[in-house]
Amino acid sequence: MRGGLSGPRVLLRRLREVMAEPISAQERLDKIVTTIAANMVAEVCSLYVLRADGVLELFATEGLNRQAVHKASLRIGQGLVGLIAAEAAVLNLADAQEHPAFAYIPGTDEEAYHSFLGVPILRSGRTLGVLVVQNRVRKTYSDEEEEALQTTGMIIAEIIASGEVLGLAASQQTVLDLNRPMHIPGVVLSEGVGLGHVVLHEPRVVVTNFIAEDPDKEVKRLTAAIANLRLSIDDMIDRGEVAHHGEHRDVLEAYRMFAYDRGWTRRMEEAIVRSGLSAEAAVERVQSDTRARMQRQTDPYLLERLHDFDDLTYRLLRELMGKDKSTEMPENAIVVARSMGAAELLDYDRAKLRGLVLEEGTTTSHVAIVARALSIPTVGQLANVVSLADNGDSIIIDGESGYVHLRPPADVEQAYVTKVRFRARRQERYRQLRFKAPVTLDGVRIALNTNAGLLFDLPHFDESGADGIGLFRTELQFMIAPTFPKLGQQAELYSKILDGATGRPVTFRTLDIGGDKVLPYLTRSVQEENPAMGWRAIRIGLDRTVILRTQMRALLKAAGGRELRVMFPMISTVDEFLKAKELVKGEQRFLEKHGHALPSSLKLGAMIEVPALLFELDELLSVVDFVSVGTNDLFQFMLAVDRGNAKVAQRFDPLAPSFLRALRTIARKSAEYGKPATLCGELGGTPLTAMALMAIGFRSMSMAATSVGPVKDMIRSVNLGELEALLAPALNRPDGPPIRKLLQDFAESRDIPLN
């Protein structure tokens, strides 16, 4: 290349001049390929752009037959150009025609050229096209020439993403850029429909200055930013905190590993020195190359590390550009994130939040549970959605079908406006059921309760017409607080909840933290390999008794003169329940001694979430006042299915006979001992699964407030005797049809509403 190491910088400056000219999009592309060919002494320079239909179309060329522009094309994976697009990898060949993937494109006159250098045009790890140079002589292009072509590809990626080349494609297909409407399938985590605009949970920093006027200065800027980044990560780890917004400590350790990786730093420095990029552009260049390479991996561990690398890169860009994470929320915000904790969701302004979209997430992950409690439409398991979306993009989330429409066309948007109106009419039907009892056609009363966790759940509880609050998640107050809530703060919240319930029963669950619910201010002495089965819930309460004693004292004080119902989570043995019960008695004696009013009635229960309790039911039911079945954890422990792992969370059906038989045992034993049994897991939250629970003996269920109306509608339409007669033999017949299909057919034949 002419000009030695200054070649790439000269090329970038010339391209910047072309970008500033007031010419048409096609003229600009033509000038760009001509400039590249001249700078690299190449006889051919061609630009292929990836269309929405998966075809790479020739958009501009210098050296090939210009009559082939917008006529010649290749599919992804076809020929050398298609191979580069498919693998997002550079291809440098001394004789292209000897490569097994070579495919001659008729009409281009490229048969005379042998040497071939092609690079993918990448933006945020996405392939938008391919840039190629060719020569007649057989030669391998130098590393510097590869670098120059890749750097030029960054400029062209911004042109494509800006939409400037829209409308040039021969087939009138919209090119694959960030303005293209997209229809992305996912998994429903919380029902509802939301229309609004994207708010990225981790806002992307947009690089606008690509060219380094002074490379030495840019290297110093990069070095200083990396040093600051390392200090901030070291500081967080040394203080024993988790990452911002509640990410686990091991993520910070991964950040630190990347931050101190000399290879990562060296690649960014080389991009500045060799290619003439600014520090910001060098960071983005290395990120884009790394993401394109790692996205081809299937190892879940490596994919997790890719997320860590992305997060680290965004932190470094913010260091360089002096920007913080804050994003102005529009009035109709739909948050798009890779993953999120429950506390992070609560950080957003509920009045403006219309929906949540997650690359990960499962129906029983805690952020999904909180989203349902807050009636926030949520769809998860949408691959790469964070890279596909930009802040401010219009978006529709369909929490019924599981689809997300990114940058939807006007007709799709209008169809969803109509759908929202239809849902409003359906919700009105549920509101009319508010004061009607959930009684089956054959006269069986089913108690319907709601799950709650914060004060602003009370209006939803009241509107639902529920019998009571079957599960109040006390940990949410702890998750949104910067430190442990004091005794007075806890008592004030519990008192307001009891006031808002206006005499209806409220069952408080003591602090259920650990697993995937981490408090930044409660650190562990050792990192747990399997936190879901580690130090969590009642285990923390019995080890750190001051935490449980303070909470029980607050509950007892708040309920003075009223009934108090408290249940302990994650009970594994009857002995654990008895120890917790003795601790409560101690707090009762303390308050009585100091003249405080005690609850008029105190009922203590245990959550059945650990399979071992199924073999201690007689002993347990003889000492508790009630039991509550947490199907989310019970299911994951019984079937060894990590409820937060999207790869296996949908693998097994909770309506499988084995699990339903276990639940039936709990219901029957509870009835035998005359102890109430409520089911408070997500299994009771849909009409279909609630039908199964009623049929095996449950007469009390707790669910999200939005589920009460649909479940009540089902209850008032079903004959429970018929349902029991249908299900009983099916549970003992493993070769029969799936229980879910059996119930669906039953409901359809009797016109029982399931949505």
Side-chain angles (χ1 to χ4, degrees), residues 3-158:
L5 288 177
S6 66
R9 291 197 287 274
V10 171
L11 176 57
L12 282 177
R13 288 193 176 89
R14 288 178 180 170
L15 289 176
R16 182 166 62 180
E17 293 169 2
V18 173
M19 297 286 290
E21 292 185 37
I23 53 180
S24 70
Q26 187 63 59
E27 289 174 318
R28 196 178 316 283
L29 294 181
D30 292 341
K31 278 202 168 188
I32 286 174
V33 295
T34 301
T35 302
I36 295 170
N39 185 269
M40 295 185 65
V41 197
E43 292 163 285
V44 172
C45 178
S46 302
L47 167 64
Y48 297 84
V49 175
L50 185 59
R51 300 194 316 231
D53 57 357
V55 171
L56 289 149
E57 180 179 315
L58 181 63
F59 262 53
T61 186
E62 169 66 23
L64 296 185
N65 184 357
R66 291 203 173 187
Q67 299 300 314
V69 171
H70 299 304
K71 294 178 183 176
S73 62
L74 292 158
R75 295 186 306 276
I76 289 183
Q78 180 187 10
L80 300 178
V81 172
L83 181 64
I84 293 167
E87 297 187 354
V90 175
L91 204 56
N92 188 347
L93 304 170
D95 195 336
Q97 297 177 32
E98 291 182 356
H99 193 283
F102 178 79
Y104 172 67
I105 307 176
T108 59
D109 299 338
E110 66 172 331
E111 62 270 21
Y113 303 99
H114 293 278
S115 55
F116 176 101
L117 172 61
V119 300
I121 298 171
L122 301 172
R123 190 175 193 269
S124 298
R126 293 173 56 215
T127 300
L128 301 184
V130 174
L131 186 61
V132 173
V133 291
Q134 295 172 273
N135 283 84
R136 294 176 188 271
V137 298
R138 292 175 173 83
K139 71 163 190 171
T140 301
Y141 291 91
S142 67
D143 291 344
E144 185 184 335
E145 288 169 318
E146 277 192 26
E147 189 80 20
L149 204 60
Q150 287 180 294
T151 301
T152 306
M154 291 180 65
I155 305 293
I156 297 175
E158 295 306 313

Side-chain angles (χ1 to χ4, degrees), residues 453-527:
L454 292 168
L455 273 176
F456 53 68
D457 289 325
L458 288 178
H460 301 298
F461 160 63
D462 211 38
E463 292 164 6
S464 71
D467 294 302
I469 297 176
L471 167 63
F472 188 85
R473 300 182 174 99
T474 60
E475 62 273 6
L476 293 188
Q477 181 191 24
F478 289 74
M479 292 170 72
I480 63 176
T483 59
F484 267 112
K486 297 183 183 302
L487 172 67
Q489 294 172 315
Q490 292 185 51
E492 182 182 8
L493 172 65
Y494 305 147
S495 180
K496 287 180 178 178
I497 295 299
L498 290 167
D499 291 342
T502 59
R504 287 168 288 182
V506 178
T507 302
F508 293 93
R509 180 177 69 188
T510 59
L511 191 60
D512 186 7
I513 54 172
D516 59 350
K517 291 179 288 186
V518 179
L519 302 183
Y521 45 84
L522 180 63
T523 58
R524 307 178 200 183
S525 57
V526 292
Q527 190 69 27

Side-chain angles (χ1 to χ4, degrees), residues 215-402:
D216 291 339
K217 180 180 178 183
E218 294 301 304
V219 170
K220 289 178 181 177
R221 288 182 61 233
L222 177 67
T223 301
I226 291 174
N228 288 337
L229 178 67
R230 289 171 176 171
L231 281 174
S232 68
I233 293 172
D234 287 343
D235 184 50
M236 282 186 284
I237 292 178
D238 292 342
R239 292 202 313 268
E241 295 180 357
V242 296
H244 62 284
H245 296 316
E247 293 169 324
H248 294 288
R249 183 186 174 97
D250 60 346
V251 175
L252 275 180
E253 293 291 356
Y255 286 161
R256 176 147 68 180
M257 177 186 72
F258 279 122
Y260 280 88
D261 178 18
R262 181 56 197 160
W264 178 53
T265 306
R266 186 181 64 252
R267 289 193 298 274
M268 291 185 289
E269 290 173 348
E270 287 176 350
I272 294 172
V273 175
R274 296 180 59 173
S275 302
L277 293 175
S278 66
E280 294 88 346
V283 173
E284 189 171 86
R285 162 71 181 280
V286 172
Q287 180 204 23
S288 195
D289 289 348
T290 305
R291 172 167 262 279
R293 186 173 64 254
M294 291 180 71
Q295 277 179 326
R296 299 195 295 274
Q297 300 289 334
T298 57
D299 186 329
Y301 177 80
L302 291 178
L303 291 175
E304 280 298 318
R305 299 291 72 77
L306 173 58
H307 294 164
D308 297 341
F309 178 72
D310 282 343
D311 291 340
L312 183 73
T313 299
Y314 297 144
R315 284 171 176 253
L316 181 55
L317 284 172
R318 286 193 292 271
E319 283 283 350
L320 282 165
M321 301 178 75
K323 294 184 177 181
D324 58 30
K325 268 190 59 177
S326 60
T327 301
E328 186 68 28
M329 280 187 74
E331 291 298 321
N332 52 351
I334 292 183
V335 173
V336 177
R338 287 198 175 88
S339 61
M340 184 185 291
E344 298 171 85
L345 180 60
L346 296 171
D347 285 339
Y348 286 96
D349 185 347
R350 181 66 190 90
K352 296 179 178 180
L353 189 57
R354 298 290 180 268
L356 175 64
V357 175
L358 300 169
E359 282 194 7
E360 302 165 3
T362 63
T363 54
T364 53
S365 59
H366 285 281
V367 68
I369 291 171
V370 172
R372 282 192 291 276
L374 300 179
S375 304
I376 300 170
T378 305
V379 172
Q381 299 178 40
L382 295 103
N384 212 29
V385 69
V386 172
S387 295
L388 298 173
D390 262 336
N391 274 322
D393 280 346
S394 59
I395 187 172
I396 297 172
I397 176 171
D398 188 337
E400 291 181 352
S401 68

Side-chain angles (χ1 to χ4, degrees), residues 624-678:
V624 299
D625 296 311
F626 65 93
V627 293
S628 187
V629 185
T631 53
N632 298 344
D633 270 329
L634 184 61
F635 179 73
Q636 83 163 341
F637 293 143
M638 281 194 68
L639 276 84
V641 173
D642 179 2
R643 69 187 194 175
N645 186 333
K647 293 186 182 299
V648 297
Q650 311 301 324
R651 191 182 185 93
F652 301 99
D653 190 347
L655 292 187
S658 60
F659 189 57
L660 289 180
R661 284 200 290 265
L663 296 179
R664 183 177 62 182
T665 299
I666 297 170
R668 287 178 174 177
K669 274 289 183 183
S670 299
E672 179 185 327
Y673 278 84
K675 300 294 175 69
T678 295

Side-chain angles (χ1 to χ4, degrees), residues 612-628:
L613 280 185
L614 294 172
F615 303 94
E616 282 192 284
L617 285 176
D618 291 297
E619 295 88 341
L620 180 70
L621 289 165
S622 65
V623 296
V624 299
D625 296 311
F626 65 93
V627 293
S628 187

